[in-house]
Amino acid sequence: MGTIIAIMGIDGSGKSSLIKRLPLESRHFYSALSKSRDSKLSGGMQKRKDIRSNKIRWFLGYLIRVVIPNILFILKIKYFSKKLVLYDRFIFDTVVSLNSASKKNILEKIMLLFLNLFPKPNFIIFLSIDPVIAYERTGEFGVEVLRRKQNELRQVLSLERNVHEFEVTNSSESALNLIRELGEEENLT
């Protein structure tokens, strides 16, 4: 059986940098969306004639391009492989983003259902960082937005098992060492 390790944290916490330092297979949770030029999926809904219709189209596109392929990939790795795969972000990030962006609505309830039904990673590495430092690294969003997202992410992850939180300062060596140890324990590296 394979192992999935999800690397979680706000933008600028060092997820991608940490993954690049390890000679392991990796996958970005939203890779299908970042490769897509389809404006319905990549956020370019400038014409908002029917907001409800756009939300439904976005959700269906998200389901088809992100959720289903990730479920199939995770099940393949966990049950039919002996690989260790690092995930840059995971379904938890989507739940936090939807929770922040919307009022309580049907899409959020459906995403929470997915959170409960979605195959879980074997381990979660949560990179916690001062939002001011994260903002200085990326220049994206604002410090308060990053602070809120980190708190919401921490809250969602508190419901999960096998979460290892690391305070990121200038180095992520302790997280790097844990991932190496997990790989050795599973005889996967």
Side-chain angles (χ1 to χ4, degrees):
M1 290 178 64
T3 300
I4 301 285
I5 300 176
I7 311 296
M8 300 298 304
I10 59 175
D11 294 303
S13 63
K15 299 177 300 296
S16 299
S17 298
L18 177 67
I19 289 170
K20 287 177 188 171
R21 293 183 62 192
L22 291 161
L24 299 169
E25 183 176 343
S26 65
R27 183 177 178 108
H28 194 288
F29 191 78
Y30 300 108
S31 60
L33 288 185
S34 61
K35 291 177 188 171
S36 171
R37 297 286 179 241
D38 184 347
S39 64
K40 291 181 208 112
L41 297 177
S42 55
M45 289 191 235
Q46 281 76 18
K47 297 180 183 177
R48 294 181 181 242
K49 292 179 183 174
D50 183 358
I51 292 172
R52 184 177 184 158
S53 171
N54 284 338
K55 285 183 180 180
I56 291 169
R57 266 189 279 158
W58 176 86
F59 181 75
L60 290 174
Y62 180 80
L63 183 68
I64 292 166
R65 293 219 179 150
V66 176
V67 174
I68 293 171
N70 276 303
I71 288 174
L72 294 175
F73 180 80
I74 291 165
L75 293 175
K76 181 178 112 182
I77 294 300
K78 284 182 90 167
Y79 299 107
F80 302 105
S81 167
K82 292 196 178 229
K83 292 181 185 178
L84 183 146
V85 177
L86 301 175
Y87 251 91
D88 186 341
R89 301 185 187 264
F90 212 73
I91 192 76
F92 313 112
D93 193 65
T94 300
V95 171
V96 166
S97 295
L98 281 177
N99 189 39
S100 297
S102 66
K103 307 250 190 287
K104 303 288 181 198
N105 63 36
I106 190 69
L107 291 180
E108 181 182 339
K109 290 177 183 171
I110 293 170
M111 285 310 301
L112 290 173
L113 176 65
F114 278 146
L115 180 60
N116 291 322
L117 297 177
F118 201 88
K120 303 293 188 209
N122 300 76
F123 303 98
I124 300 167
I125 306 293
F126 178 50
L127 302 178
S128 177
I129 187 169
D130 180 343
V132 173
I133 295 171
Y135 178 74
E136 289 170 356
R137 288 180 174 184
T138 65
E140 294 177 345
F141 310 107
V143 173
E144 287 308 312
V145 171
L146 292 170
R147 181 172 283 116
R148 185 178 66 244
K149 185 172 181 181
Q150 182 162 266
N151 289 337
E152 290 173 359
L153 194 53
R154 184 176 281 118
Q155 187 177 8
V156 168
L157 293 177
S158 71
L159 304 173
E160 299 299 319
R161 298 176 312 150
N162 294 322
V163 177
H164 304 272
E165 183 171 346
F166 293 91
E167 184 67 36
V168 177
T169 51
N170 294 327
S171 170
S172 52
E173 287 301 316
S174 52
L176 193 64
N177 290 334
L178 176 64
I179 293 169
R180 287 181 180 135
E181 286 175 25
L182 293 173
E184 288 171 6
E185 286 176 14
E186 303 287 329
N187 292 318
L188 299 167
T189 56

